[in-house]
């Protein structure tokens, strides 16, 4: 994902505006609580109109929150992962997917609003953009160390992997019985198989 449009705060000052709304909403999410816009506005000491002016809509705010959680989960998943090239990417991705489907706050949210979650998580938008950005960065790091050569632009492959992962990771919300992480990993491995350091010289230059 391209990142949240929430502006940075000035050091030494309490969060204000959209960043304050995001921080407060994230705390409610992490506690497994619903995000109610009227209650959130009161908590922040502003009117509902001001809150909506800051965040656009409840759905947009939830998208920011889930994108932020995506990044936090990814940062945990990548810690301590060794190896290089496709092997490293696969390990990071599997750890990330398993952490997502087992996250208690996400389970609480999806039990309350499954249709809203699947719309936010699987359609192009803030969450997909953030995940794509994170994976693009990971792929580019392996390219830079000479462990990967991609046959198409880096971001294009990252976006394809994110969409594959989402379709299998959230299969149980789309009519399946459970998350299908093993199947997702098999497909992603096929996508990465031609991307080793010895890939053909005709490969297109990697592009962000």
């Amino acid at each position: 994902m391209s990142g949240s449009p929430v502006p940075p705060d000035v050091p030494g000052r309490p969060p204000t505006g959209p960043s304050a709304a995001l921080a407060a909403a994230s705390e409610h999410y992490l506690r497994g609580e619903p995000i109610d816009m009227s209650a959130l506005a009161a908590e922040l000491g502003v009117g509902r109109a001001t809150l909506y002016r800051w965040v656009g809509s409840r759905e947009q705010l939830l998208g920011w929150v889930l994108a932020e959680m995506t990044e936090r989960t990814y940062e945990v998943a990548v810690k301590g992962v060794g190896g290089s090239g496709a092997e490293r990417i696969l390990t990071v991705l599997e750890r990330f997917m398993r952490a997502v489907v087992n996250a208690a706050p996400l389970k609480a949210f999806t039990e309350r609003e499954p249709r809203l979650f699947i719309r936010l998580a699987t359609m192009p938008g803030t969450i997909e953009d953030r995940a794509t950005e994170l994976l693009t960065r990971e792929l580019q790091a392996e390219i830079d160390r000479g462990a990967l050569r991609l046959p198409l632009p880096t971001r294009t492959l990252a976006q394809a992997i994110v969409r594959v992962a989402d379709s299998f990771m959230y299969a149980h919300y789309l009519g399946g019985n459970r998350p299908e992480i093993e199947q997702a990993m098999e497909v992603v491995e096929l996508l990465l198989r031609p991307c080793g350091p010895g890939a053909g010289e005709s490969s297109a230059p990697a592009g962000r």
Side-chain angles (χ1 to χ4, degrees), residues 40-200:
L40 189 62
E43 179 182 335
L44 294 167
V46 299
R48 278 172 53 92
T50 297
L51 178 59
Y52 278 99
R53 186 170 67 249
W54 284 350
V55 303
S57 68
R58 178 175 183 268
E59 188 166 311
Q60 285 177 283
L61 177 58
L62 285 166
W64 289 6
V65 169
L66 291 171
E68 189 79 5
M69 296 306 123
T70 295
E71 184 158 358
R72 292 189 194 185
T73 303
Y74 200 90
E75 288 172 353
V76 172
V78 80
K79 287 182 179 178
V81 175
S84 63
E87 177 188 358
R88 175 182 169 82
I89 300 299
L90 289 166
T91 300
V92 169
L93 186 62
E94 182 170 8
R95 289 180 62 171
F96 170 77
M97 293 175 70
R98 294 194 184 282
V100 168
V101 299
N102 290 319
L106 183 61
K107 289 180 179 179
F109 176 55
T110 55
E111 286 175 3
R112 287 193 307 270
E113 302 183 76
R115 292 183 180 178
L116 175 58
F117 168 73
I118 204 64
R119 184 167 72 251
L120 290 171
T122 62
M123 292 180 65
T126 307
I127 305 169
E128 182 187 279
D129 288 347
R130 183 71 63 89
T132 299
E133 180 182 273
L134 293 166
L135 187 54
T136 298
R137 188 172 68 198
E138 202 69 39
L139 290 167
Q140 190 63 45
E142 297 308 305
I143 292 167
D144 293 344
R145 71 165 74 180
L148 277 181
R149 287 179 58 84
L150 303 188
L152 69 169
T154 313
R155 186 176 176 84
T156 300
L157 180 61
Q159 185 177 54
I161 291 173
V162 166
R163 289 182 174 178
V164 165
D166 284 349
S167 66
F168 284 99
M169 185 163 50
Y170 304 130
H172 50 313
Y173 299 121
L174 298 168
N177 295 321
R178 60 181 178 80
E180 298 173 348
I181 294 177
E182 292 82 3
Q183 292 91 325
M185 299 310 301
E186 290 173 359
V187 175
V188 174
E189 186 174 4
L190 285 174
L191 291 173
L192 291 175
R193 186 174 292 170
C195 301

